Amino acid sequence: MTPTSTATLAARDWAEIQERMLVPLYEAVYDRLEVGPGDRLLGLDCGAGLALLLAAARGAAATGVEADPARRALARERLLEVLPAPPAAPSPLRPYDVLLALSPTPAALASALPAVRRGGAVVLADWGPAERCTVPSVLGGGPVPVDLDAVVERAGLRPDGSGRVFCPFGYADVDSAVRGLVSTGLYDGASDAALAEKELAEALHPFERPDGTVWLPNIFRYVIARVA
């Protein structure tokens, strides 16, 4: 299998299986910020664009940024405006009111902030407490939660609240769970992809229900900050 076809399959698995697991997080944030008509939202690392669709359904004008060509193509199939990199500032349009940047690198966040208006909201999110997140335990240690408050401070943003959201990862069966979790990119560094998938499938069996479905409870934490 070529690298291109592997990336395309992973993007499809993200769009069809994994992306919806974060809907409770997106909705909680949009409710808190009262996202609606007249708002302009920029989604950093937007994947296949589900967060943008949810914002658009509320009447907001949503634009995404996604570096991965396969995921960007899927978002554009949904008739979304998705850029390969953050828009250059100053923009010919008015600045964005909301920046959704769930787990950005410092460089990615810095490149997107100039497109957000003064006083605009910046939303960051990541895994919650380790003892409340099943996925990191399944991953054998898994991702290290990001210190979101430190990210806000380093970026020169003004804190404006935080929250926690229950985001269970539910799958039809173990195979779907493996495909969904692999599509997150958490296993990209594995030297043997097939072995990593086999070990993940074995680790998931304790979370398999009698009907074959897999249920992984998780808590995500988000913070809201304002551009000074």
Side-chain angles (χ1 to χ4, degrees):
M1 184 176 295
T2 66
T4 300
S5 61
T6 300
T8 300
L9 288 174
R12 288 284 178 190
D13 285 342
W14 171 262
E16 296 172 4
I17 300 173
Q18 191 63 32
E19 191 176 27
R20 65 178 180 269
M21 308 301 176
L22 296 179
V23 166
L25 174 61
Y26 300 143
E27 295 286 18
V29 168
Y30 293 163
D31 284 345
R32 183 156 179 171
L33 293 176
E34 299 182 339
V35 170
D39 289 327
R40 296 190 71 226
L41 179 141
L42 181 64
L44 194 61
D45 297 326
C46 70
L50 182 56
L52 306 182
L53 287 175
L54 295 174
R58 293 168 175 255
T63 300
V65 176
E66 177 54 56
D68 181 72
R71 295 191 184 198
R72 191 166 64 244
L74 290 176
R76 287 174 175 171
E77 286 180 11
R78 292 170 165 174
L79 304 181
L80 296 167
E81 180 186 10
V82 181
L83 310 172
S91 168
L93 301 174
R94 70 178 176 85
Y96 290 94
D97 303 291
V98 179
L99 173 63
L100 188 65
L102 300 190
S103 298
T105 63
L109 180 59
S111 67
L113 284 178
V116 185
R117 68 171 174 83
R118 187 173 184 179
V122 177
V123 182
L124 308 172
D126 204 81
W127 300 99
E131 67 275 10
R132 302 290 303 279
C133 295
T134 308
V135 168
S137 67
V138 169
L139 296 175
V144 177
V146 174
D147 186 342
L148 300 175
D149 300 298
V151 174
V152 168
E153 183 177 357
R154 286 195 299 268
L157 301 170
R158 175 170 54 85
D160 191 31
S162 64
R164 293 182 178 182
V165 183
F166 181 54
C167 290
F169 289 7
Y171 305 93
D173 49 38
V174 170
D175 178 67
S176 295
V178 170
R179 288 168 54 201
L181 290 170
V182 168
S183 76
T184 64
L186 293 171
Y187 291 90
D188 288 353
S191 57
D192 187 330
L195 178 60
E197 291 181 18
K198 180 175 181 294
E199 292 176 345
L200 177 57
E202 292 173 355
L204 287 168
H205 283 305
F207 303 95
E208 190 176 4
R209 292 176 162 182
D211 62 358
T213 59
V214 175
W215 186 252
L216 304 172
N218 299 289
I219 295 289
F220 277 73
R221 179 174 183 258
Y222 69 85
V223 299
I224 297 172
R226 298 283 173 175
V227 176

